[in-house]
Amino acid sequence: MSKQGRGFRSFPARPALGAIVASGLVALPAPASAYRPFDGTDAAVAKKGEMEIELQPAGRLRDEGGTSVIAPAWVINYGLSEDWEAVFEGQGRTSLSPPGPTTLTAAGAFLKHVIVPGSLQDKTGPSVATEFGVLLPDSTGNSGAGFSLAGIVSQRWDWGTIHLNAETALTRDHHGDVFLGAIVEGPATWTVRPVAEIFYENELGRQETFSGLVGLIYRVSDDLNFDVAVRHALTGGHPVNEIRAGLTFGFPLSALGSHAAHQAGPNLPR
């Protein structure tokens, strides 16, 4: 739910479903929580034993409070089994106008589970997943811990893919929050595919957010994707404008182990 919640949301309060129910964008080989560059996510998990990193080196956000740089924003996904993954995420936010310190926000730890394998798993019919976990306190302020539970449904066709997200959460400020979103992507076979997202979020008793995003995802390979997007939203009646750009890359953890062993090899006693 809002930025206080999950994903890369950059406005007060909430992600995601990963943004779930999503990066972010970026998600990839099999996109995962906070599927870049979205606030929502898809109904897929990282392959068993593989690490996927969704990274935004720097982004720009302008809202009622001024202009901020979001740098970096990250989501780390690790495949625990064929249909489970662990998700760890967070972001740094530095206020430029007015000037302010850098704070760690939107941190959380989650589990994502594919309940019904479908088109995203090379089977027929919709893919269905859930994501749930703990929203960790911000590095400054009086925020506490929260909890989120999301559901995601994804369907892929030749012409494109749709991901539907629904999430409920107890925010770090201990308010109820509801998030509903939809992501539309162009054909998965295209090297550069257009993408869009709309979502509605209601931090109960506090404020509502209506958000729209358009962007592009450039697939270099199955394990490397770049993304760029612009987002405009109304939060509590105030405009929010954001530029997002980042990448997603994946690799098997065994590759790190092999590299470390190779580097250490010559120094091992004989």
Side-chain angles (χ1 to χ4, degrees), residues 32-243:
S33 185
Y35 182 33
R36 285 203 55 87
F38 314 109
D39 288 275
T41 188
D42 63 353
V45 298
K47 295 178 182 178
K48 181 179 179 181
E50 289 196 359
M51 185 82 77
E52 291 177 358
I53 298 178
E54 306 169 27
L55 178 64
Q56 175 174 287
R60 180 181 183 277
L61 172 73
R62 181 169 181 79
D63 60 12
E64 182 185 11
T67 301
S68 299
V69 170
I70 307 299
W74 69 90
V75 178
I76 299 174
N77 310 294
Y78 176 66
L80 300 172
S81 67
E82 183 179 350
D83 53 9
W84 282 92
E85 75 175 6
V87 182
F88 305 94
E89 64 183 37
Q91 68 175 32
R93 179 168 178 170
T94 304
S95 179
L96 298 180
S97 176
T102 298
T103 60
L104 171 64
T105 67
F110 310 89
L111 287 173
K112 189 176 183 183
H113 175 51
V114 175
I115 302 171
V116 180
S119 57
L120 296 194
Q121 290 75 36
D122 297 323
K123 302 181 184 297
T124 59
S127 299
V128 181
T130 184
E131 185 178 89
F132 55 90
V134 178
L135 310 179
L136 301 176
D138 295 337
S139 62
T140 60
N142 300 316
S143 71
F147 179 84
S148 70
L149 172 64
I152 315 114
V153 177
S154 298
Q155 176 68 58
R156 177 173 291 156
W157 296 273
D158 291 341
W159 59 264
T161 306
I162 293 178
H163 311 287
L164 302 178
N165 289 218
E167 181 180 9
T168 183
L170 179 66
T171 70
R172 295 172 177 81
D173 296 328
H174 297 169
H175 291 94
D177 190 285
V178 175
F179 174 92
L180 299 172
I183 296 168
V184 179
E185 303 184 50
T189 56
W190 289 9
T191 300
V192 179
R193 65 184 186 276
V195 298
E197 178 185 40
I198 58 172
F199 74 75
Y200 166 75
E201 181 174 17
N202 189 337
E203 188 176 1
L204 305 180
R206 303 195 71 184
Q207 62 185 13
E208 295 179 302
T209 294
F210 299 88
S211 175
L213 173 149
V214 293
L216 297 170
I217 296 177
Y218 171 46
R219 178 174 57 84
V220 178
S221 68
D222 288 343
D223 298 319
L224 177 62
N225 291 257
F226 291 93
D227 65 86
V228 61
V230 294
R231 185 175 76 91
H232 176 71
L234 289 176
T235 297
H238 300 284
V240 176
N241 294 292
E242 185 176 7
I243 299 174

